[in-house]
Amino acid sequence: MTRHGSGLRDRTAIAGVGWTEYSRNSGVSTLTLALRAVTAALDDAGLRLSDVDGVACHRVGDSVQAVLVAQALGVEDLRYHLDMFGGGGTSHQVVAHAAMAVASGMAETVVCWRAVNARSEFRMGGTGRPAPDALEFQYQLPYGYATPPQQYAMLARAWMHARGATSEDLGRVAVTQREHALLSPRAMMRRSLTMDDYLAARFIAEPLRLNDCCLETDAAVAVVVTSAERARALAKPPVLIAGAATGGGHTLFSNGRADPTVSAAADLAPRLYAAAGIGPDDIDIAELYDAFTFLVPLQLEDYGLVTRGETGGFYADGHAGLKGRLPVNTHGGHLSEGYVHGLNHVAEAASQLRGEAGDRQVPGATVALTTGQPGYVGGTSSALILRREESA
């Protein structure tokens, strides 16, 4: 019997991944970054530019249009095109849409990317440009309540209060991910982080300290999506897209979601697991969207990976480390590797499942959960479950 939501299961795969350097000043345009990441991903898959017939990205007025990337790649007959407006909550939705395009026959080879000069050019929450078009922003601005750290700080405080979480609980997330980042050749943060370092850092917006906040990064990441059958004949082992789901959320101001300490991921998770035909206990590694530290334990709860209120002990006992029960953000995440708005989590999951993560490789990892922002502020969320071919 076909289970509801299983139509995409294992029909498509990530066949290639590519990155640019992660830096604070790329010195090039977002178009150049996108093209570098895309060509690297195609090279990784053993494909040519002429194989591309679909393009997909997300952006928030901070990057190059998808059609311009297609033209620069020389795509003459563009069969599929997605240029999605949205932040990190849409990051995994882009890959899901590419998978749907391939599975439906609309396209054969779709490249998904995110390219940003998020430090040297377009700093999220910065000044000097028009205000967001969200209606409620007019009610925030008179109080100076405008930036992502301010918005998420209120959520973090509510979550900490509800769970009895401490600053040290958040600090363990930052410290653990820094340990992982030190094993990644791409990571921007190259110095170890102790709990004392974490607690001594300045507040950005209480309760969020400096190391609770993601990096500002100039970089691009790309993944190639094609059919599972075709991927098996390419250069690298295919990483099957076992399940994909998107969900709603709330903008903090205009939605009546009753409990802000439970995200839209809690609604999305059952559909995601059903689509992949597995449960939370089957997940080997988790790459969880981490614009701010508290989002990681919150998602561990909302995706059913850790019992609510027990994430502090989960981290204190080392279960999120590379040798732990469930390694989390094995690349260092947005906090310590770099902020490429969600897609670097997909690329890391694929690298882990292909056994190509080097010193940070999790032995025997066959199933990965990778997530976008869990529905706050932007009002949407998305996630994927990826699977190594041998486990099919």
Side-chain angles (χ1 to χ4, degrees), residues 262-285:
V262 177
S263 77
D267 300 327
L268 177 155
R271 291 188 284 107
L272 178 65
Y273 291 129
I278 65 170
D281 292 342
D282 297 305
I283 301 298
D284 297 317
I285 56 173

Short mmCIF file of all heavy atoms in Angstrom, two decimals, residues 262-285:
data_model
loop_
_atom_site.label_atom_id
_atom_site.label_comp_id
_atom_site.label_asym_id
_atom_site.label_seq_id
_atom_site.Cartn_x
_atom_site.Cartn_y
_atom_site.Cartn_z
N VAL A 262 6.88 26.21 20.75
CA VAL A 262 6.76 25.04 19.88
C VAL A 262 6.63 25.56 18.46
O VAL A 262 5.70 26.30 18.14
CB VAL A 262 5.55 24.17 20.25
CG1 VAL A 262 5.41 23.01 19.27
CG2 VAL A 262 5.68 23.65 21.68
N SER A 263 7.56 25.20 17.59
CA SER A 263 7.59 25.77 16.24
C SER A 263 6.73 24.99 15.27
O SER A 263 6.21 23.91 15.57
CB SER A 263 9.04 25.79 15.73
OG SER A 263 9.44 24.49 15.32
N ALA A 264 6.62 25.53 14.06
CA ALA A 264 5.88 24.86 13.00
C ALA A 264 6.50 23.53 12.62
O ALA A 264 5.84 22.69 12.01
CB ALA A 264 5.79 25.77 11.78
N ALA A 265 7.76 23.32 12.98
CA ALA A 265 8.40 22.03 12.70
C ALA A 265 7.68 20.88 13.38
O ALA A 265 7.68 19.75 12.88
CB ALA A 265 9.86 22.07 13.13
N ALA A 266 7.05 21.15 14.51
CA ALA A 266 6.30 20.10 15.20
C ALA A 266 5.12 19.63 14.38
O ALA A 266 4.71 18.46 14.46
CB ALA A 266 5.84 20.60 16.57
N ASP A 267 4.53 20.52 13.58
CA ASP A 267 3.43 20.15 12.70
C ASP A 267 3.95 19.46 11.44
O ASP A 267 3.32 18.53 10.92
CB ASP A 267 2.63 21.39 12.29
CG ASP A 267 2.02 22.11 13.48
OD1 ASP A 267 1.65 21.43 14.46
OD2 ASP A 267 1.93 23.35 13.43
N LEU A 268 5.08 19.93 10.96
CA LEU A 268 5.67 19.40 9.73
C LEU A 268 6.25 18.01 9.92
O LEU A 268 6.18 17.16 9.02
CB LEU A 268 6.76 20.38 9.27
CG LEU A 268 7.63 20.11 8.05
CD1 LEU A 268 8.13 21.43 7.48
CD2 LEU A 268 8.82 19.22 8.38
N ALA A 269 6.84 17.74 11.09
CA ALA A 269 7.61 16.51 11.32
C ALA A 269 6.84 15.23 11.01
O ALA A 269 7.38 14.34 10.34
CB ALA A 269 8.15 16.50 12.74
N PRO A 270 5.60 15.06 11.49
CA PRO A 270 4.90 13.80 11.19
C PRO A 270 4.74 13.56 9.69
O PRO A 270 4.85 12.42 9.22
CB PRO A 270 3.55 13.97 11.89
CG PRO A 270 3.80 14.96 12.97
CD PRO A 270 4.80 15.91 12.40
N ARG A 271 4.47 14.62 8.93
CA ARG A 271 4.34 14.48 7.48
C ARG A 271 5.67 14.11 6.85
O ARG A 271 5.73 13.32 5.89
CB ARG A 271 3.79 15.77 6.88
CG ARG A 271 2.35 16.05 7.25
CD ARG A 271 1.77 17.23 6.49
NE ARG A 271 2.24 18.52 6.99
CZ ARG A 271 3.09 19.31 6.38
NH1 ARG A 271 3.61 18.93 5.22
NH2 ARG A 271 3.45 20.47 6.90
N LEU A 272 6.74 14.69 7.36
CA LEU A 272 8.07 14.41 6.82
C LEU A 272 8.45 12.95 7.05
O LEU A 272 8.92 12.26 6.13
CB LEU A 272 9.10 15.33 7.47
CG LEU A 272 10.55 15.11 7.05
CD1 LEU A 272 10.74 15.45 5.57
CD2 LEU A 272 11.50 15.94 7.92
N TYR A 273 8.25 12.47 8.27
CA TYR A 273 8.59 11.07 8.57
C TYR A 273 7.71 10.11 7.76
O TYR A 273 8.17 9.08 7.27
CB TYR A 273 8.45 10.79 10.06
CG TYR A 273 9.50 11.48 10.91
CD1 TYR A 273 9.14 12.26 12.02
CD2 TYR A 273 10.85 11.37 10.61
CE1 TYR A 273 10.09 12.89 12.80
CE2 TYR A 273 11.82 12.01 11.39
CZ TYR A 273 11.43 12.76 12.48
OH TYR A 273 12.39 13.38 13.24
N ALA A 274 6.44 10.44 7.62
CA ALA A 274 5.55 9.59 6.84
C ALA A 274 5.98 9.54 5.38
O ALA A 274 5.93 8.49 4.73
CB ALA A 274 4.11 10.10 6.95
N ALA A 275 6.41 10.68 4.85
CA ALA A 275 6.86 10.73 3.46
C ALA A 275 8.06 9.82 3.24
O ALA A 275 8.19 9.17 2.20
CB ALA A 275 7.20 12.16 3.07
N ALA A 276 8.96 9.76 4.22
CA ALA A 276 10.17 8.94 4.10
C ALA A 276 9.96 7.50 4.55
O ALA A 276 10.82 6.64 4.31
CB ALA A 276 11.30 9.57 4.91
N GLY A 277 8.84 7.24 5.23
CA GLY A 277 8.57 5.90 5.71
C GLY A 277 9.43 5.48 6.88
O GLY A 277 9.71 4.28 7.06
N ILE A 278 9.85 6.44 7.70
CA ILE A 278 10.69 6.15 8.86
C ILE A 278 10.16 6.93 10.06
O ILE A 278 9.17 7.65 9.96
CB ILE A 278 12.17 6.51 8.60
CG1 ILE A 278 12.32 8.03 8.41
CG2 ILE A 278 12.72 5.75 7.40
CD1 ILE A 278 13.74 8.50 8.39
N GLY A 279 10.88 6.82 11.18
CA GLY A 279 10.55 7.59 12.37
C GLY A 279 11.78 8.27 12.92
O GLY A 279 12.90 8.09 12.42
N PRO A 280 11.62 9.08 13.97
CA PRO A 280 12.76 9.81 14.54
C PRO A 280 13.91 8.91 14.97
O PRO A 280 15.08 9.31 14.86
CB PRO A 280 12.13 10.52 15.75
CG PRO A 280 10.68 10.61 15.45
CD PRO A 280 10.35 9.39 14.64
N ASP A 281 13.62 7.72 15.43
CA ASP A 281 14.69 6.83 15.90
C ASP A 281 15.59 6.35 14.77
O ASP A 281 16.67 5.79 15.03
CB ASP A 281 14.09 5.62 16.62
CG ASP A 281 13.43 5.99 17.94
OD1 ASP A 281 13.73 7.09 18.46
OD2 ASP A 281 12.63 5.20 18.44
N ASP A 282 15.17 6.53 13.53
CA ASP A 282 15.97 6.08 12.39
C ASP A 282 17.01 7.12 11.94
O ASP A 282 17.84 6.83 11.08
CB ASP A 282 15.05 5.76 11.21
CG ASP A 282 14.11 4.61 11.50
OD1 ASP A 282 14.61 3.53 11.87
OD2 ASP A 282 12.89 4.80 11.38
N ILE A 283 16.93 8.32 12.49
CA ILE A 283 17.85 9.39 12.09
C ILE A 283 19.23 9.15 12.70
O ILE A 283 19.37 8.95 13.91
CB ILE A 283 17.31 10.76 12.52
CG1 ILE A 283 15.92 11.02 11.91
CG2 ILE A 283 18.28 11.87 12.16
CD1 ILE A 283 15.90 11.07 10.41
N ASP A 284 20.26 9.18 11.85
CA ASP A 284 21.65 8.99 12.31
C ASP A 284 22.37 10.30 12.58
O ASP A 284 23.21 10.37 13.48
CB ASP A 284 22.44 8.20 11.26
CG ASP A 284 21.90 6.80 11.05
OD1 ASP A 284 21.58 6.13 12.05
OD2 ASP A 284 21.80 6.38 9.88
N ILE A 285 22.09 11.30 11.78
CA ILE A 285 22.70 12.63 11.96
C ILE A 285 21.63 13.68 11.70
O ILE A 285 20.70 13.45 10.92
CB ILE A 285 23.91 12.87 11.04
CG1 ILE A 285 23.52 12.68 9.56
CG2 ILE A 285 25.08 11.99 11.42
CD1 ILE A 285 24.62 13.07 8.59
#
